[in-house]
Structures are given as C-alpha cells and as structure tokens.
Amino acid sequence: MARHRGDKEDGPDRHMGLLKLVQILSFLVVFVAGIIMGLATSSHINQMFTSQARLFFTSNIAATKISGNNCTIVRPCKRVDCFSMETFLHPKNLTHRMKDEELFWRASLVPIKEEYPFDRVPKVAFMFLTRGPLPMLPLWERFFRGHENYFSIYLHTPRNYVLNVSMDSPFYRRQIPSKNVEWGTVKLVDAEKRLLANALLDFSNERFVLLSESCIPIYNFPTVYKYLIGSEHSFVESYDEPTRYGRGRYNRNMFPDIQLYQWRKGSQWFEIQRALAVYVLADTKYYSIFKKYCKPACYPDEHYIPTYLNMFHGPLNSNRTVTWVDWSVGGPHPATYWGINVTESFIQSIRNNETQCSYNSEMTSVCYLFARKFHPSALEPLLNLTSTVMEF
C-alpha cells in the first residue's frame, strides 16, 4: 500500500517538470526564431536604404541639372581623377579659384627627387602680359605652327576681357585668372608672378619668357627654342645706373635689407629658367619691401627682379635681355614701329646690330630673339616677311 501511494504522489510532479521543460524549450525556439527574423528584416531594410542611396548619389553624380524658366537641362558630368599624375604634371584647364597666395604657394613646391617619373620634353612657356587684344596674333600663330610639343602659352589680360580665337589656335583657352594692372605700380609685378605661377604648375615648362602684345619673334621657333633650352643662364637685364633714373629711385628705407650697392635696373621683359622662377615666386620678404617703398618715380617692374637676382642668384643670370627695344627717342616709353617701318633690312638690322654678347661663356652676335614695340599696322608687312627673312 505504501508503494502504491508513493507512485500516485510522484506522478503529478513528473508531469509538472515535463511541462516546464516544454515551456522553456518553446520559449527558446520562439526567441531564436525572433532573432533570425529580426536579422533578416534588418538586412532587407539596409539593402533597401543602400540601394536608394546609391540610386540618389548615382543620379546626382551622373548629371548636372541646370534649371531655367521653362526647362531643365541635364548634362552628363565626366569623372575627373584629381590625383592622377597627368592632372598634377600637366594641368589642361587654366581656370581655377585659387587666390594669389594659394597659387604662389602651390606653384613654388619643388620635388626633391631629381628624376622625373615620365619622359620629360622641356618646354618654353610664352607668357603674354597684355592690355587686351593681341594684334600680332596671326604672326605668333604662324610662329608656333608645327611645334605644339615644345611650348606652352599663358595670357594675362584685363580681368573681364575674353580673347576670341578659334579652337585650333594655340591661344585657345590659354587665359589665366587675371586682375587689372596699372602701369608703373607693383601690380605689374603681381601680374608677372601670376603668369610665372600658372606656368610653373606644368612641370614640363623649363624656360619662361615674358612678352607684351606689341612683341614679335625675329627668328623661327626652332632657333628660339634651341637658344633658350640650351642656355646655362637666364636673360634678365640687370645693371647699375648711377643716375636719377637708377640709383635715384632707391629708397633709403629699404636699408639694411636692400643696400644701394645692390640696387639694379633692367627691362621688364625677361626670360628665366625654372629654378629662378621658383625663387622669384617664393620670395615674400623683398617683394614686400618693394611694395612698400618702391612707388613712382620708382617702378617695381624695372627694379624688383633685377635687384633680387643680383643679390642672391647673380651667377645664374646673363645680365641682359633677349628682347630688343629702341630707347633712342628718349622719355618713359620706347619707340613704336609702324607698318611703313617694317622692311627686310629693318628686321636684319635688329638681328645684326653689331652687338656682341656672351652665350654659355662664348661671344655671339645672336643677342636678341624678340623685338618690340610694333604697331598693329605692322602685322601685314611682317607676315609678308615670315617665309623669307624669319623663316616660319
């Protein structure tokens, strides 16, 4: 009897234990199922948002929308690799939004490694500082024709001026971001440095020549290129002028940073090699002194670069210019030559003016490669002489 009673008491306990075990297992199954369903739902939501985001950004990157009054124009955008070597070494688009300080800093960066990671063909950068139109444009276009791999062109014009040339012209889209300048002020130096900075951004440019809209070449391109690329020196006129037009323009407030015996004068129209271009661009101290103290009748464009190079880089400079000009008329401006003045003998007289100069430590009669000042009326007779006298 005792054993039978015990079996009856154990039965309900055993059933309760089994019931609790089933409840626990059921709870675990539901919990695990909930986790699995939650993960699946989360993944679906993430995929939905990711796909929507991709669709949004792709559609916005793939097209630029320009809204007008009655329509919306959709234009595809090209993807540009801003960090590619080609973009860094040879910028094609001269348009940028850098301030002068940013531009000068960017252009003064110099690689320590001497070897170039590409086949570098040195170029001559032709930098035109103009007041607007280029009356000698057809002459220069003929000069450059067929030599596209050996030169670069940079134009500094009045701020809102637009040069209208055909797409096949070497001057097409070669205007740099410019500012208005004033003759006889430091703004001319600013424009020169702006041209140098933009030209230095292209690592192929090795020589830098400054020209005006009234300048012409008096030799063909191969002669000019070989002369400049092969030179061991730069061509910046720098001399001591012991008159009121030279030493008389020195301001004693420049002392002791710039002393009178270091003061130099020279033509604004220079030609310099890449290393010197970087030095000129990177200078802040001496430029600031000129900006503060060299004011009319002191003209910074005639004194700043000649003085700076004389102080620090004299051995790299030939102390002469390669741009011929006639100062025999006197006054603040050189003689201007009109169409009636342009003859074969006149061009030959500029080439062979009985002047001897030093070139790579040897004497030569080829001292000038360019000439100024030429009136627009001189264009037609000059074009008539290109195939015979100037050979281009």
Side-chain angles (χ1 to χ4, degrees):
M1 290 293 293
R3 196 181 104 189
H4 181 69
R5 194 182 306 115
D7 288 342
K8 290 178 75 172
E9 291 176 356
D10 290 341
D13 292 337
R14 185 181 303 113
H15 286 300
M16 289 297 294
L18 290 174
L19 181 61
K20 289 182 178 180
L21 179 61
V22 170
Q23 289 177 342
I24 293 172
L25 290 175
S26 299
F27 176 79
L28 290 174
V29 169
V30 173
F31 179 76
V32 171
I35 292 176
I36 294 174
M37 291 180 64
L39 291 174
T41 303
S42 176
S43 176
H44 175 72
I45 293 174
N46 286 338
Q47 289 179 359
M48 181 183 69
F49 278 108
T50 301
S51 62
Q52 291 295 324
R54 287 177 180 172
L55 179 61
F56 173 80
F57 286 111
T58 301
S59 61
N60 280 274
I61 292 174
T64 300
K65 295 184 178 180
I66 303 174
S67 300
N69 294 328
N70 300 313
C71 64
T72 299
I73 302 174
V74 180
R75 297 178 180 174
C77 292
K78 295 182 179 179
R79 297 182 65 183
V80 178
D81 183 0
C82 296
F83 293 96
S84 70
M85 285 298 290
E86 182 63 24
T87 302
F88 178 69
L89 296 171
H90 313 293
K92 303 298 182 184
N93 189 356
L94 299 186
T95 302
H96 58 75
R97 296 182 179 179
M98 286 186 284
K99 299 178 181 178
D100 282 351
E101 295 80 5
E102 298 169 335
L103 173 65
F104 297 168
W105 178 84
R106 165 68 178 82
S108 64
L109 300 179
V110 178
I112 298 177
K113 189 176 179 64
E114 295 183 0
E115 301 84 3
Y116 288 88
F118 64 101
D119 294 330
R120 182 177 186 261
V121 177
K123 294 181 180 181
V124 177
F126 290 82
M127 308 180 303
F128 290 85
L129 178 55
T130 78
R131 291 172 292 185
L134 289 171
M136 299 298 159
L137 178 66
L139 181 70
W140 283 106
E141 289 178 330
R142 190 174 295 185
F143 170 79
F144 288 122
R145 187 182 302 157
H147 308 288
E148 287 74 14
N149 294 329
Y150 301 95
F151 70 87
S152 302
I153 294 175
Y154 301 87
L155 295 173
H156 190 292
T157 63
R159 187 167 188 172
N160 296 321
Y161 178 79
V162 177
L163 181 68
N164 186 18
V165 294
S166 61
M167 294 179 62
D168 60 351
S169 171
F171 289 84
Y172 179 68
R173 298 182 67 178
R174 300 308 297 176
Q175 288 180 258
I176 67 169
S178 306
K179 296 182 181 180
N180 294 333
V181 300
E182 297 176 18
W183 181 79
T185 71
V186 77
K187 290 184 178 181
L188 273 174
V189 175
D190 294 338
E192 294 171 3
K193 298 183 77 168
R194 210 171 287 125
L195 280 163
L196 282 174
N198 281 276
L200 280 168
L201 294 180
D202 189 329
F203 281 80
S204 290
N205 290 328
E206 183 61 31
R207 310 290 301 208
F208 304 78
V209 55
L210 182 67
L211 302 159
S212 75
E213 71 273 9
S214 66
C215 287
I216 67 166
I218 57 175
Y219 288 98
N220 60 24
F221 184 89
T223 301
V224 172
Y225 179 85
K226 182 179 179 181
Y227 193 98
L228 296 180
I229 294 296
S231 175
E232 299 172 357
H233 301 88
S234 294
F235 299 98
V236 179
E237 191 174 50
S238 178
Y239 61 92
D240 178 24
E241 174 66 63
T243 69
R244 64 187 180 97
Y245 300 109
R247 294 183 190 175
R249 296 174 177 176
Y250 172 77
N251 189 322
R252 294 181 180 179
N253 290 315
M254 296 180 175
F255 185 87
D257 296 300
I258 302 173
Q259 301 184 40
L260 180 59
Y261 78 91
Q262 299 170 316
W263 185 256
R264 292 294 183 272
K265 181 182 178 180
S267 170
Q268 175 188 6
W269 312 105
F270 61 77
E271 191 284 334
I272 59 178
Q273 61 205 64
R274 187 175 185 89
L276 289 190
V278 172
Y279 286 133
V280 170
L281 193 62
D283 169 56
T284 299
K285 177 179 179 179
Y286 297 93
Y287 164 80
S288 299
I289 294 173
F290 270 86
K291 183 177 182 179
K292 186 175 182 179
Y293 297 116
C294 185
K295 298 179 180 180
C298 175
Y299 304 104
D301 56 292
E302 294 183 2
H303 295 280
Y304 168 61
I305 294 180
T307 299
Y308 178 76
L309 294 187
N310 173 63
M311 292 175 65
F312 300 105
H313 308 288
L316 298 178
N317 185 31
S318 65
N319 295 327
R320 65 181 178 90
T321 180
V322 287
T323 300
W324 179 87
V325 65
D326 182 5
W327 287 100
S328 62
V329 295
H333 301 286
T336 298
Y337 289 94
W338 297 61
I340 194 174
N341 304 121
V342 178
T343 62
E344 180 176 343
S345 60
F346 175 66
I347 299 299
Q348 292 290 7
S349 69
I350 297 176
R351 287 178 163 187
N352 306 306
N353 59 2
E354 300 182 356
T355 299
Q356 291 287 313
C357 56
S358 177
Y359 179 83
N360 292 348
S361 303
E362 295 182 0
M363 300 306 294
T364 179
S365 61
V366 181
C367 300
Y368 299 108
L369 305 177
F370 313 99
R372 62 184 301 265
K373 251 176 129 173
F374 286 83
H375 188 268
S377 64
L379 175 61
E380 185 174 350
L382 284 170
L383 290 174
N384 293 334
L385 294 176
T386 56
S387 61
T388 56
V389 180
M390 293 182 276
E391 299 178 352
F392 61 82

